Amino acid sequence: MEASSDTISRKLLNWYDAHARDLPWRARPGAPAPEPYRVWLSEVMLQQTTVAAVKDYFAEFTRRWPDVSALAAAPDEEVMAAWAGLGYYARARNLLACAREVAARGGRFPDSEEELRALPGLGAYTAAAVAAIAFGRRAVVVDANVERVVARLFALDTPLPGGRTAIREKADAITPERRSGDFAQAMMDLGATVCTSRAPRCLLCPLSAECEGRALGEPERFPVKAPKKAKPARRCRAFWIERDERVWLVRRPGKGMLGGMRALPDDGWHSRGDGTGEGPLDGPWESAGKVGHVFTHFSLELSLAVYLGNQCDSLPAEEGEWWPLDRIGEAGLPTLFAKAAHLALAGTGERV
DNA sequence: GAGCCGTGGAT
DNA sequence: TATCCAAGGCT
C-alpha cells in the first residue's frame, strides 16, 4: 500500500512538535527562526560529527565570535586552535573563508539555496539545510539520517553511493512546501533517536505504519552500502624538542592531513606512506614511547623521540615557535599530537 | 565517481 | 579489541 506524501510529512511534523530535541542552535517551538549565523555555524560543525561532540565547540565559538563579522575578523590561528579536536580541519579553513566572504558583502548570508551553495564549505546538504532552517525556503535536505530513513521507508535497496539518486527523489517527494526546515530537522531527529543505524526503535516511530522496510521485516537491511576498503597501518616518528620550559611546535601546511594546524615536527609521514624517520635535528634522541591513532582511511603508530642535545639553535625560527609547556593545552594541537604531548609530559612510554 | 580528510561514541 | 558510523565537502 502506497502511503501519501502528505500523510508522511504530517505525521512526522506532529511527532517533531512533541519530541523535537532541545539543541543550542535550534529555535524553541513557536519562536522565530534562529540567526543564519548560528544555523550555518552549527551545520558546518555537525558535518560528519555528532551532536554531543559539537555542543561545547558551538558554545565556545558563539561566545568568542557572536556574529559572522566577528568571526571574519579573527586571526586564522585562533580559529584553527579553537577548532582543534573537532576534526576535518578543512572545515575550519572554509569556515573562515566563508565568514570573510559574507562579512565583505555586509555581514548578511544570502537567502537562496543556490547562492549559499556557492560559499566555501557549503555543499548540497548544508546549503539546503541553511536555506530551509534559517530562511524558511523549501529545500530538499539529505544527510545520512535522511538517507537511512528514506531508504527504509521505501525499501530502497540499490547500494550507496549509486542509490542516492533514488533516495533523493523520494526525499523530494515527501518534503512539504511549508515547514521544510522543521521537516528536515524532524527527519534528522528521527534518524538520530529512533530510526538508528543499528537496533531501530520501530515501536516508537511515527512512520512505522508507512514503512515498507519494516513491513519486509528487516528495516536494518537498509540502506545497502558498498563494502569498505581495509585501512593500511602506517608508522611515523614525531619529535619533542624542549628548552627552557618550552617545546618546539611547527605549523603544518595549509592543505592535506591536519592542514593549517599546530603540530610537533615529524618525519614526513602522510596518508600514503610512512615517514623517513628523520627529524629536524640530528639528535641524539631518546625514545619516549608510542601512541596509536586511527584516521578515516589509515591507522598510525607514532613513535615519539625526545631531543637530548643542545644544538637547537639550528632550528629554522620562521617555521616554528617555542611554546610554553604550561600552556600546551592552548596550542590547539590536533588529537594525534595532543596524545604525543601527553606522553612526553607524563614521561612514561609504554602505552600504545 | 572515488579518494582524501578526524574524532569519539556505541556495540 | 575491532568495526561501524555520524547534520559532508572538495578535488
Side-chain angles (χ1 to χ4, degrees):
Chain A
M1 178 169 85
E2 182 91 351
S4 83
S5 300
D6 285 351
T7 300
I8 290 171
S9 62
R10 177 175 47 78
K11 286 190 173 183
L12 188 66
L13 284 168
N14 285 341
W15 175 81
Y16 186 68
D17 289 337
H19 299 287
R21 287 180 291 176
D22 184 12
L23 302 174
W25 45 84
R26 186 178 276 182
R28 299 303 180 90
E35 296 169 26
Y37 171 67
R38 296 169 65 87
V39 175
W40 162 74
L41 178 62
S42 66
E43 289 299 342
V44 173
M45 287 184 166
L46 286 161
Q47 289 167 3
Q48 294 286 287
T49 309
T50 58
V51 165
V54 164
K55 279 185 174 172
D56 288 348
Y57 286 86
F58 182 80
E60 176 66 4
F61 268 67
T62 52
R63 181 188 72 76
R64 291 177 67 174
W65 303 296
D67 56 51
V68 68
S69 298
L71 181 59
D76 290 29
E77 60 182 67
E78 285 189 21
V79 175
M80 298 308 291
W83 197 276
L86 199 54
Y88 284 141
Y89 299 101
R91 291 186 295 172
R93 303 195 296 271
N94 286 328
L95 189 81
L96 257 178
C98 180
R100 288 168 183 166
E101 206 168 310
V102 170
R105 59 167 84 176
R108 305 187 82 86
F109 282 85
D111 64 357
S112 74
E113 185 176 356
E114 181 183 356
E115 293 171 288
L116 288 162
R117 177 70 181 79
L119 292 169
L122 282 85
Y125 163 76
T126 306
V130 174
I133 297 169
F135 295 111
R137 300 294 193 104
R138 182 186 184 277
V140 182
V141 180
V142 183
D143 75 325
N145 288 302
V146 176
E147 283 178 359
R148 185 170 58 255
V149 171
V150 169
R152 288 174 179 171
L153 199 48
F154 299 100
L156 303 176
D157 61 1
T158 305
L160 303 185
R164 292 205 164 99
T165 305
I167 289 176
R168 182 175 187 81
E169 288 175 4
K170 286 294 189 182
D172 192 347
I174 62 174
T175 299
E177 289 294 330
R178 295 185 303 171
R179 296 190 69 187
S180 84
D182 284 349
F183 178 81
Q185 295 180 89
M187 290 285 278
M188 294 189 277
D189 276 17
L190 189 72
T193 65
V194 174
C195 193
T196 46
S197 180
R198 282 173 287 198
R201 301 167 173 85
C202 298
L203 293 178
L204 300 179
C205 181
L207 305 181
S208 60
E210 285 75 25
C211 184
E212 296 179 29
R214 181 172 189 242
L216 292 174
E218 41 179 0
E220 294 175 84
R221 189 163 72 80
F222 307 94
V224 181
K225 296 185 179 181
K228 300 191 184 312
K229 296 183 177 178
K231 290 183 192 216
R234 309 225 175 278
R235 297 170 181 276
C236 75
R237 285 180 90 196
F239 302 93
W240 185 266
I241 305 166
E242 194 177 312
R243 189 176 74 177
D244 300 334
E245 297 299 313
R246 292 167 183 263
V247 61
W248 182 250
L249 297 183
V250 299
R251 174 82 54 190
R252 294 179 62 83
K255 296 182 179 180
M257 289 289 305
L258 312 177
M261 301 300 288
R262 264 194 202 101
L264 294 179
D266 61 49
D267 62 355
W269 63 276
H270 51 95
S271 60
R272 310 189 68 170
D274 294 344
T276 62
E278 300 297 314
L281 295 170
D282 287 338
W285 301 102
E286 180 181 59
S287 174
K290 299 175 178 180
V291 297
H293 194 70
V294 181
F295 293 102
T296 305
H297 49 302
F298 66 99
S299 61
L300 183 66
E301 184 187 84
L302 179 153
S303 298
L304 185 64
V306 173
Y307 185 62
L308 298 179
N310 56 3
Q311 299 300 317
C312 33
D313 294 341
S314 62
L315 291 166
E318 68 276 15
E319 294 176 14
E321 56 192 324
W322 290 106
W323 191 268
L325 289 181
D326 58 3
R327 290 178 46 223
I328 194 68
E330 304 163 37
L333 295 174
T335 301
L336 169 68
F337 295 112
K339 286 181 182 177
H342 183 75
L343 180 62
L345 294 171
T348 59
E350 288 309 308
R351 193 176 303 271
V352 173

